[in-house]
Amino acid sequence: MRRTWGFLTVGLLFLATACSIEIEIPIRSKTTPSSSFKAATPTTFKAATPTTPIPMSPATVTDACPFIAVGELAQIIGTSAEIRAQEQPADVEGTEKRYSCLYEDIHQSPDGAPRLHITVAPEIGAESVTAVDNTMKAFCREPITTVGGVGDKTAHCEQDKDFTRAIVVVGKRSNGQVRLALVDLPKNRADVYEAIAKLLAERL
């Protein structure tokens, strides 16, 4: 079953589907949203492991997969599955850039796999806290849990249309940009969401 959500507000737009989540996360939308991401050729991301951390807060964001290495994600969610990270084509509108990474179990359908989405908005006036708030309002059922001291604002919740899935959202101003990270994943424990959020906040 395929469904689409839409939410438009000043400075934020999301488009998503439930079975094969495809999310656009511009913090400021100036034009008609571009089409959903197309599938990319699967590749196994091996640039980092839990013992080889990725550099914090890169000056330039060029993709999403390096923000969470496959070994790190497997360790956090507690799985022994063989995961590969599949970078999706970047979506760029003006100064806004959106990147997406699919963390796919190679032995299962990718439909329910976790996805990481990174949005970068360097425009003056973009607000990371507002972006997080608007995202949670658009996609969450109550309760929404805020994680204190992580990024400018961090929260997680169950999705309002699919109670089997959750989202973790981290907003942070870094290197003169507003950066927003969203992880869409199957429901798990609160400590799992918090571990993902802390890792992303360090690297945004």
Side-chain angles (χ1 to χ4, degrees), residues 5-193:
W5 303 330
F7 180 81
L8 177 60
T9 188
V10 176
L12 182 66
L13 169 68
F14 279 78
L15 297 176
T17 59
C19 298
S20 179
I21 301 294
E22 297 169 336
I23 299 180
E24 293 185 6
I25 320 173
I27 298 175
R28 182 185 302 273
S29 181
K30 299 184 180 65
T31 60
T32 302
S34 58
S35 58
S36 297
F37 292 123
K38 297 179 181 179
T41 302
T43 57
T44 301
F45 185 74
K46 298 181 178 179
T49 68
T51 58
T52 309
I54 298 168
M56 298 180 185
S57 299
T60 303
V61 177
T62 58
D63 44 19
C65 289
F67 279 85
I68 302 181
V70 290
E72 292 174 314
L73 182 63
Q75 185 179 66
I76 291 171
I77 65 178
T79 180
S80 59
E82 189 173 354
I83 300 173
R84 61 185 171 193
Q86 180 180 331
E87 189 75 29
Q88 307 297 293
D91 186 5
V92 179
E93 288 185 9
T95 54
E96 272 182 9
K97 299 178 182 179
R98 296 182 291 277
Y99 307 94
S100 181
C101 184
L102 171 67
Y103 294 90
E104 177 184 15
D105 181 341
I106 66 173
H107 301 297
Q108 296 185 5
S109 166
D111 288 349
R115 287 179 183 255
L116 167 64
H117 307 276
I118 304 287
T119 298
V120 178
E123 296 95 333
I124 295 173
E127 294 291 342
S128 56
V129 172
T130 299
V132 173
D133 288 342
N134 288 339
T135 301
M136 306 315 281
K137 290 176 183 177
F139 291 104
C140 289
R141 63 181 300 204
E142 296 291 345
I144 296 171
T145 302
T146 300
V147 182
V150 179
D152 296 338
K153 184 162 187 179
T154 296
H156 60 80
C157 68
E158 292 182 7
Q159 295 185 15
D160 66 342
K161 303 297 183 183
D162 185 349
F163 299 167
T164 69
R165 298 188 70 82
I167 61 170
V168 181
V169 182
V170 182
K172 183 179 178 182
R173 179 169 285 279
S174 178
N175 291 283
Q177 302 170 327
V178 168
R179 297 177 178 181
L180 186 72
L182 182 150
V183 180
D184 164 34
L185 74 166
K187 277 200 311 187
N188 212 306
R189 306 183 312 275
D191 63 296
V192 169
Y193 306 147

